[in-house]
Structure formats: structure tokens, C-alpha cells
Amino acid sequence: MTSTVNHQAQTPGLVGGPASSSSMSDQAYREIRDRLVMLDIRPGAPINEQHLALELGLGRTPVREALKRLETDRLVVAFPRRGTFATEVHITDLAHISEVRLLLEPAAAAHAARRARPAEREILTALADSVAELDTAAIPSRELIRADLKIHRAVYDSTHNPHLQDTLLRYDNLATRIWCLLLDQIPEIATHIQGHGPLLRAIVAGDADGAASHARDHVEGFEQQVRTLL
């Protein structure tokens, strides 16, 4: 994977001393979230706060705070006297998830086309170039999925609407879990990722209508690929 495809949202920095509890909670949230989304923590698996804290090099408080946020995201579920578990992945949820994404993804792409700042357009251009140059035969499917997540997150960042961004992240994460569950059965992952190129270039060009159309096609294409396996 090229370095540009490895774009990530910036981590809160340190200012004059140790990281705040808020930044540690954010770090724990991002790391645990991505393990859940990529199914590194398997659906239905128990979540051990102490083990996660040791693995992440963080205290139990940031991990506990992160898990509360992840419960809101429907990535974990807590049961009294039983503990916290990764939520199951139900392919039957696809229609509901796609229904929301078909409304919001085109809107986000259009907003990004109108609102992206020069530095963000540079990032999106670099991502589009990277997608075009991908050696899809050599890159593992899981890395392609990670690239897909990073592209979506870069687009959401460019909307400059934190409420829209949070909602889109939640539903994209849920859709990605379905994709990861079926990863070995979906034959055209690379084609799906390369389909981001026209979307990114439309956003960079400020073409709101074109960006919205490409985003809609992308969501519909994902749903159609999954439905062929049902």
C-alpha cells in the first residue's frame, strides 16, 4: 500500500506535558473501534478491559470510557453481571444500513466538494492518485478494506459538519463489519476500492452533483455485491 493511501485522521497532540485523560480516551476509542470494525475482535467475543488496557499501554479508565462510546456506536454491548461483548454482525442489517447511507453519503460528498479546504483537496488528490496506482493483485484484501475506511474518513473530514461526520462514521463502520465478515467470498473488492477515484476527483474539482452521484453508486454497488452472496 502506498503511503498516501495510509492517510489517517490526525491524533490529538501533546501540549506541554502528559496526554490528557480525554486524549487517552480518544486513542483507546479509535484503536478498539478499528479492531472491532476489522473483526480483529470477533463478533460476540467478550471484551476484557484489563487485557485491552495492557495491549494499548493505557489505563483502564480510558478503555472503560471508550467502551461506553462504542456501545453507542453499536459495536459493543454490555450485559449486567455478564460483561461487555463485541456485537454480532447480522447481514440482514444491510438493508437498514444502506437505507441510511444512501441518504447521507451523497450529501456528504456534495458538502465535501463545496467545503473542502485546499489542504484537504491535496489529501484527496493524493488518495485518488494512490487508488489509481494500486497493485490490486499484490495487496491483501484486508489492506484494501483499510484503504476504503481511510478514504471514507477523509471525505467525512472534508464536510466540516461534525454531526454528519459522526453519523457517517458509525454507519460506514457497521457496513465495513459486514464486508469483513464476507471478505473471502467477495470477488471484486479491488474494483470497488478503485471506484473511489472518480468520487475523490469530483470532490477535488468542486463538482457537488458529480460527487453525490458517485457516492450513491458506491453505496449501491456495495449492497449489490453483498446481496449476491445472500
Side-chain angles (χ1 to χ4, degrees):
M1 185 69 61
T2 63
S3 59
T4 47
V5 169
N6 284 329
H7 161 74
Q8 298 184 31
Q10 290 189 358
T11 302
L14 307 181
V15 181
S20 69
S21 60
S22 176
S23 66
M24 288 190 291
S25 175
D26 288 341
Q27 179 185 345
Y29 171 77
R30 288 191 300 271
E31 298 230 17
I32 300 169
R33 176 199 64 191
D34 287 352
R35 292 186 186 196
L36 290 160
V37 169
M38 295 298 296
L39 306 190
D40 294 324
I41 300 175
R42 299 298 299 175
I47 307 292
N48 187 301
E49 289 182 11
Q50 184 174 0
H51 289 171
L52 274 176
L54 289 171
E55 288 178 11
L56 299 176
L58 298 169
R60 291 186 68 174
T61 297
V63 169
R64 189 175 299 116
E65 290 172 350
L67 291 174
K68 289 179 181 177
R69 291 173 63 184
L70 290 163
E71 191 170 7
T72 301
D73 292 346
R74 300 190 177 189
L75 293 174
V76 304
V77 59
F79 297 103
R81 296 180 296 278
R82 287 183 56 200
T84 302
F85 298 80
T87 53
E88 298 287 353
V89 178
H90 299 291
I91 300 175
T92 51
D93 289 338
L94 176 65
H96 296 142
I97 293 169
S98 294
E99 190 173 275
V100 176
R101 294 183 74 218
L102 277 170
L103 292 172
L104 296 186
E105 289 279 355
H111 287 323
R114 298 186 186 103
R115 300 173 182 171
R117 296 166 182 162
E120 290 163 341
R121 293 184 196 274
E122 288 182 11
I123 289 171
L124 296 172
T125 297
L127 286 170
D129 291 343
S130 297
V131 165
E133 297 167 2
L134 283 177
D135 183 355
T136 54
I139 298 174
S141 295
R142 282 177 58 83
E143 291 306 309
L144 291 172
I145 298 294
R146 291 185 189 279
D148 183 78
L149 283 169
K150 290 167 186 173
I151 290 168
H152 278 284
R153 291 171 185 177
V155 172
Y156 304 157
D157 285 344
S158 300
T159 66
H160 296 284
N161 181 332
H163 301 288
L164 179 60
Q165 181 180 1
D166 286 348
T167 303
L168 283 163
L169 282 169
R170 182 178 303 175
Y171 283 96
D172 187 51
N173 288 337
L174 294 174
T176 301
R177 293 185 90 214
I178 293 175
W179 201 351
C180 288
L181 189 69
L182 302 172
L183 196 57
D184 296 335
Q185 304 174 54
I186 298 177
E188 298 181 359
I189 293 174
T191 302
H192 187 73
I193 302 301
Q194 288 177 320
H196 280 302
L199 165 63
L200 293 168
R201 296 198 188 282
I203 292 172
V204 171
D207 178 4
D209 290 341
S213 178
H214 289 305
R216 187 176 298 104
D217 290 345
H218 183 78
V219 175
E220 289 176 342
F222 168 76
E223 183 175 11
Q224 288 168 5
Q225 279 194 322
V226 173
R227 284 195 178 283
T228 61
L229 305 174
L230 300 182

